[in-house]
């Protein structure tokens, strides 16, 4: 076996081995003589490539690794390598190495060339595609082959592509960003419309009271008065809206399309001396109770209640400024407004012509709206003006706020003589009032009875009291049913029986029996 760069299994002679670049031979690996020495010339007299006996050495058989990547061809005294396509012999001529076709001139590729083992590859730059010949390149249409990342429009170029956006968008690399036409200070829609941005465009929406004209470019005023405006008192068209006319007593609000009440009372001369009371859509002139409003007289005028056919008093009427006073029959005394009383125990204390000096100087009034035509009667002033009464009428009064003393003899009362007599002085209270003892009659020593003539009398009870002092409180109770009370309010005032004339009569008696 010949020892070369690699071991082979071919059986050769020693001269075939050593005369052909061998290094050792045989199973013991005998060293071959070095070229140029006496031993080498003796073994290889004809030089390399020939055996000792002069035969040509077939290097292709002795050294099977020759001409790798090619074909070994033996020649007389030598050999040569026939390399495969894409290979060339190295500088020793014993093997074939790869040939770099990309370094040749002209280059085998039109654009990019990449050398490979025994061959080469042609490639194209980005935006081109390799043609079937494997060498030439042609522009790649990325748009038609959908090899692009454009959001909207793709435009092919030589070696690439560009992205484009539709109107209303701005190009940002491959994306399209919508232009907000409504973001600027000067809106594209003007002052009569609101701008609404849309993808790639915008819309103008007219504000209330305007609509797009025939061209669709501008907003024009809508004549609401020409359509169903629902105004009951006339319609006035305005720029961007309309206003409804207002009925009498109302004025147009300065800002909103509404009718608001006109305060006629701001003009101080509307009611003259009367008080002005503003109402919705109108006004009312207010006078105190006992007065009527008269426009011609310029204010409030006193009502002469005593001159009317419906005289409220049964025993005589005295008109006062803003009211009236009811008198009592002879021998009776006025107790409040509307009641009369008398008693044997205190007759001597009052004179028939006493002029009611005990009444309070205060005057209470009830408001009467626009004259009303009805007569509210409350606590009145004590002044007497006109006295329409019969000769037996008495205007003397008793102070009902203080206890009334009565000195009586028990001997004079055994004949059922009354201690006290009460009767109403107002026509509405006739047969509609009852006088009762509310306090001080625990042992029922006294009783209060109503007679057929309308008078109520205070007498001793079934168990006569012993001599001494007794305190009684007597109160009047109105006996009006709801229907009768409603009739009176309809004929007069809604509060006809309110105030002092309708208040319950309350008197306190301090009775001394001896």
């Amino acid at each position: 076996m010949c020892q070369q760069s690699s071991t082979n299994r071919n059986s050769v002679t020693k001269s075939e081995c050593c005369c052909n670049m061998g290094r050792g031979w045989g199973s013991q690996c005998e060293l071959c003589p070095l070229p140029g020495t006496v031993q080498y010339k003796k073994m290889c007299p004809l030089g390399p490539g020939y055996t000792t006996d002069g035969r040509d050495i077939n290097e292709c058989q002795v050294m099977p690794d020759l001409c790798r990547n090619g074909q070994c061809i033996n020649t007389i005294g030598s050999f040569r390598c026939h390399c495969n396509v894409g290979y060339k012999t190295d500088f020793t001529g014993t093997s074939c190495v790869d040939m770099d076709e990309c370094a040749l001139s002209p280059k085998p590729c039109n654009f990019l060339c990449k050398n490979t083992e025994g061959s080469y590859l042609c490639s194209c730059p980005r935006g081109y595609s390799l043609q079937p010949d494997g060498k030439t390149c042609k522009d790649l249409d990325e748009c038609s082959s959908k090899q692009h990342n454009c959001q909207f429009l793709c435009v092919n170029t030589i070696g690439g592509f560009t992205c484009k956006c539709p109107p209303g968008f701005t190009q940002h690399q491959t994306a399209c960003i919508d232009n907000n036409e409504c973001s600027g200070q000067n809106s594209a829609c003007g002052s009569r419309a609101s701008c609404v941005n849309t993808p790639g465009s915008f819309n103008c929406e007219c504000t209330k009271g305007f609509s797009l004209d025939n061209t669709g470019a501008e907003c024009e005023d809508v004549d609401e008065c020409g359509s169903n405006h629902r105004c009951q008192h006339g319609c006035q068209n305005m720029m961007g809206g309309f206003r409804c006319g207002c009925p009498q007593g109302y004025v147009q609000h300065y800002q909103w399309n509404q009718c608001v009440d006109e305060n006629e009372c701001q003009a101080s001369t509307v009611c003259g001396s009367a008080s002005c009371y503003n109402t919705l859509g109108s006004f009312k002139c207010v006078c105190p109770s006992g007065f009527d409003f008269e426009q011609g007289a310029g204010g409030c005028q006193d009502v002469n209640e005593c001159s009317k056919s419906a005289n409220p008093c049964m025993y005589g009427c005295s008109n006062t400024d803003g009211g009236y006073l009811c008198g009592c029959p002879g021998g009776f005394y006025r107790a409040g407004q509307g009641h009369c009383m008398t008693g044997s125990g205190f007759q001597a204390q009052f004179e028939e012509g006493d002029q009611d000096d005990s009444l309070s100087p205060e005057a209470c009034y009830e408001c009467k709206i626009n004259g009303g035509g009805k007569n509210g009667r409350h606590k009145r002033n004590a002044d007497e003006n006109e006295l329409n009464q019969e000769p037996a009428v008495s205007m003397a009064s008793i102070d009902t706020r203080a206890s009334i003393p009565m000195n009586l003899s028990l001997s004079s009362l055994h004949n059922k003589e009354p201690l006290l007599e009460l009767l109403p002085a107002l026509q509405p209270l006739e047969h509609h009032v009852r006088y009762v003892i509310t306090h001080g009659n625990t042992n029922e020593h006294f009783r209060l009875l109503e007679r057929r003539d309308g008078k109520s009398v205070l007498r001793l009870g079934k168990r006569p009291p012993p001599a001494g002092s007794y305190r009684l409180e007597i109160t009047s109770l109105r006996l009006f049913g709801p229907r009768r009370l409603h009739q009176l309010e309809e004929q007069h005032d809604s509060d006809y029986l309110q105030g002092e004339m309708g208040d319950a009569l309350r008197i306190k008696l301090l009775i001394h029996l001896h």
Side-chain angles (χ1 to χ4, degrees):
M1 290 187 296
C2 185
Q3 302 295 326
Q4 294 176 333
S5 59
S6 63
T7 303
N8 61 68
R9 298 293 180 179
N10 295 332
S11 297
V12 294
T13 63
K14 188 175 183 179
S15 62
E16 287 178 333
C17 175
C18 292
C19 294
N20 188 28
M21 298 182 293
R23 298 173 61 188
W25 177 83
S27 59
Q28 301 299 321
C29 195
E30 301 175 13
L31 292 178
C32 292
L34 294 176
T37 61
V38 177
Q39 291 82 355
Y40 184 82
K41 290 183 178 181
K42 182 178 179 179
M43 182 176 292
C44 309
L46 297 179
Y50 294 93
T51 62
T52 303
D53 54 4
R55 290 181 294 105
D56 176 62
I57 300 173
N58 188 349
E59 294 87 355
C60 296
Q61 293 181 355
V62 175
M63 296 188 299
D65 291 334
L66 287 176
C67 301
R68 183 178 297 175
N69 298 319
Q71 184 180 2
C72 182
I73 301 175
N74 185 54
T75 60
I76 300 300
S78 184
F79 66 96
R80 63 184 180 87
C81 291
H82 180 71
C83 294
N84 298 334
V85 178
Y87 291 88
K88 63 180 181 179
T89 56
D90 60 358
F91 68 96
T92 63
T94 59
S95 64
C96 295
V97 296
D98 175 60
M99 178 176 58
D100 187 4
E101 295 89 349
C102 297
L104 299 177
S105 183
K107 294 182 179 180
C109 301
N110 291 355
F111 281 89
L112 302 178
C113 180
K114 180 181 180 181
N115 185 58
T116 61
E117 188 69 25
S119 183
Y120 64 96
L121 292 175
C122 294
S123 61
C124 299
R126 186 176 180 179
Y128 293 84
S129 60
L130 188 64
Q131 295 303 294
D133 61 2
K135 295 182 179 181
T136 58
C137 294
K138 182 181 179 182
D139 174 58
L140 174 64
D141 188 354
E142 296 88 350
C143 298
S144 60
S145 61
K146 297 183 180 180
Q147 300 182 27
H148 66 89
N149 57 352
C150 295
Q151 185 177 1
F152 278 91
L153 184 63
C154 174
V155 179
N156 186 60
T157 59
I158 300 300
F161 65 95
T162 58
C163 297
K164 286 190 176 181
C165 294
F169 291 85
T170 301
Q171 185 74 43
H172 182 71
Q173 296 180 356
T174 60
C176 294
I177 300 176
D178 174 51
N179 296 333
N180 188 354
E181 294 85 355
C182 302
S183 61
Q185 292 183 352
N186 297 326
S187 174
C189 297
S191 60
R192 297 179 178 178
S194 58
C195 183
V196 180
N197 186 57
T198 59
S201 182
F202 65 96
N203 292 328
C204 292
E205 295 183 357
C206 295
T207 56
K208 186 178 180 180
F210 294 89
S211 63
L212 288 173
D213 57 10
N214 296 331
T215 63
E218 293 185 2
C219 295
E220 61 181 4
D221 177 56
V222 176
D223 185 5
E224 294 86 355
C225 295
S227 58
N228 185 17
H229 51 75
R230 298 183 180 179
C231 291
Q232 298 179 356
H233 303 277
C235 178
Q236 178 187 2
N237 185 56
M238 303 180 65
M239 185 62 65
F242 70 99
R243 279 193 172 186
C244 291
C246 293
Q248 185 177 2
Y250 290 82
V251 294
Q252 184 68 242
H253 192 277
Y254 73 95
Q255 184 176 2
W256 300 308
N257 188 17
Q258 293 179 349
C259 293
V260 295
D261 174 56
E262 178 184 9
N263 188 357
E264 296 86 354
C265 295
Q266 290 180 345
S268 57
T269 59
V270 173
C271 293
S273 61
S275 299
C276 184
Y277 177 70
N278 186 54
T279 61
L280 285 178
S282 183
F283 68 97
K284 295 177 181 178
C285 294
V286 179
C287 289
S289 177
F291 294 87
D292 280 341
F293 174 74
E294 294 184 9
Q295 184 71 42
C300 299
Q301 298 295 319
D302 174 57
V303 177
N304 186 357
E305 295 87 352
C306 298
S307 65
K308 293 190 175 182
S309 59
N311 191 324
C313 300
M314 292 191 297
Y315 304 105
C317 178
S318 175
N319 184 56
T320 62
D321 188 16
Y324 65 96
L325 296 176
C326 287
C328 292
F332 281 81
Y333 302 93
R334 296 175 60 251
Q337 172 72 309
H339 303 276
C340 298
M341 62 182 295
T342 185
S344 59
F346 59 86
Q347 275 184 336
Q349 301 178 23
F350 299 90
E351 295 182 359
E352 190 71 21
D354 192 0
Q355 295 298 317
D356 198 22
D357 293 333
S358 62
L359 289 183
S360 170
E362 298 179 357
C364 296
Y365 296 101
E366 169 212 353
C367 290
K368 295 177 63 181
I369 309 303
N370 279 350
K374 298 183 179 181
N375 310 314
R377 300 177 180 91
H378 287 243
K379 185 175 180 180
R380 307 301 187 182
N381 197 315
D383 296 337
E384 295 185 31
N385 294 332
E386 299 178 4
L387 184 61
N388 301 329
Q389 60 183 18
E390 298 176 0
V393 172
S394 169
M395 297 301 295
S397 63
I398 294 176
D399 187 3
T400 58
R401 294 173 300 175
S403 297
I404 301 174
M406 298 179 65
N407 293 307
L408 298 169
S409 172
L410 283 172
S411 60
S412 64
L413 297 177
H414 290 306
N415 297 326
K416 298 184 179 180
E417 181 181 353
L419 284 72
L420 188 72
E421 295 184 34
L422 295 166
L423 77 162
L426 282 168
Q427 290 183 3
L429 294 180
E430 187 178 11
H431 305 302
H432 290 90
V433 67
R434 181 182 177 188
Y435 300 97
V436 295
I437 302 173
T438 55
H439 293 89
N441 197 23
T442 306
N443 297 320
E444 298 183 355
H445 292 313
F446 303 91
R447 57 179 176 171
L448 189 57
L449 303 175
E450 183 179 358
R451 300 193 311 204
R452 292 183 179 180
D453 58 1
K455 295 181 181 179
S456 296
V457 294
L458 179 67
R459 299 180 184 276
L460 295 180
K462 294 181 180 180
R463 293 187 297 174
S469 297
Y470 299 89
R471 292 182 179 271
L472 297 181
E473 183 173 322
I474 298 177
T475 304
S476 66
L477 298 177
R478 295 199 308 261
L479 302 178
F480 291 102
R483 181 177 300 178
R484 175 60 178 162
L485 184 61
H486 181 71
Q487 291 176 352
L488 289 172
E489 291 176 347
E490 285 292 324
Q491 295 172 4
H492 300 87
D493 286 324
S494 61
D495 55 356
Y496 179 65
L497 294 177
Q498 300 296 325
E500 186 168 332
M501 69 150 280
D503 283 346
L505 173 68
R506 289 184 175 87
I507 56 175
K508 296 179 181 179
L509 302 179
L510 181 56
I511 303 174
H512 299 279
L513 297 179
H514 53 85

